[in-house]
Amino acid sequence: MLQQFKDAIESSNIISKTDTNGIITFVNDEFCKISGYTKDELIGQNHNIVRHPDVDKNNFKELWNTIKNKKIYKSTVKNLAKDGSVFYVNTTIIPILDDNDDIFEYIAIRYDVTKEMFYKEELEKNEVKQKILFAQARHASLGQMLANIAHQWRQPLTELSLTVFNLKKNALSKDEEALQKYYEESKNIINSMSKTIEDFSNFFTPNREVEQFDIKLSVDEALELMDNSLKSSMVDVEFRIQNDLEVLGVANELTQVVLNLLKNSIDAFELNGVLIRQIDITIRRLKDSAEIEFRDNAGGIKKDIVDRIFEPYFTSKHQKNGTGLGLFMSKMIVEQSFDGSLDVKSKKHYTIFSIKIPTA
């Protein structure tokens, strides 16, 4: 029975034994298979024959301190095979004691976790890549917002210039009533421009506080920030609210998504030369979530690219009009920050984006 148990352990695990100096005295077939060495090549060698140079030396100091104190050591270890390939093993090293309670050898039992570790590394690489893409998208979005500020200021600056001219003219004629009128006009224009800066400043404040908020407010803020762009592009927006709904998340991030979708529609209207331009935004309650639906008549999306529009750097626009990151960033925000979904459907001349977020 004991022999059967031993055979079962050896056939299903990677096993080695060393003396108190770390010299290999035994390896099983599984150890040879994963390391690429034969038993003759391993017996009598120091166990560091499979040590990977990337592993911090302090890890091995901790290992030896643990087992020399007659304690069991457990860790996931990165190793190097004979052919230079990498393999990972979950390792348990047990000090074996003699009758005098002294250590006379160590036995290490391992199992292969190479696939799991490679998968984990790939996930970590993808996370880093996504963070870089997200930062690039945020930077591109900042550029768009600065362009919006310039657009928002263009008309009031013209009006202010005309008002200052009238102030000067009436100052010479000493018409106090006219002076007061143009003074008030100037003050109102300056206050309006100041509010524009405040709105954009508030939007880009790095507030990551998760809170419960009404999604209507995020849509309203985006519409206000894009107001001049929508008007100058002659886009009519109809905003319907079927239900007042609250969600949990960062309000500014949802505003960013709405801004991206509005900008996407404006660009599509221009690209496709659509004359009568309509965006319908509807907020409604679903079974256990809130939906924000965006529908535009900007010409739809071609069938051969509709499945790719959320890919990073993919854009159907002219290079100067798009980075290919806006929709990618929007999808990441909805999925990762709100645990929701962002989907698209295109029918004939219409495109429908649907944001679904669990209700708070």
Side-chain angles (χ1 to χ4, degrees), residues 186-201:
S186 299
K187 190 167 70 171
N188 289 337
I189 293 169
I190 291 168
N191 286 339
S192 176
M193 293 171 72
S194 177
K195 185 178 183 302
T196 300
I197 288 294
E198 187 178 340
D199 287 343
F200 281 95
S201 176

Side-chain angles (χ1 to χ4, degrees), residues 109 183 188 280 324:
I109 302 172
Y183 166 74
N188 289 337
D280 295 314

Side-chain angles (χ1 to χ4, degrees), residues 53 76 116 131 138 166 177 316 318:
T76 299
E116 291 88 338
K131 285 179 181 177
R138 189 70 172 168
N166 286 327
E177 186 177 339
S316 59
H318 190 279

Side-chain angles (χ1 to χ4, degrees), residues 8 32 39-40 44 62 85 87 104 119 137 167 171 174 176 185 237 274 276 291 302 313 335 348-349 353 360:
C32 294
K39 289 185 180 182
D40 289 341
E62 181 188 350
S85 61
F87 65 95
F104 75 92
Y119 179 69
L167 271 172
K174 298 182 180 180
E176 292 188 9
E185 282 185 11
V237 178
V274 177
I276 300 174
E291 181 185 35
K302 293 178 182 178
Y313 300 119
E335 291 180 351
K348 293 185 179 179
H349 304 298
F353 284 94

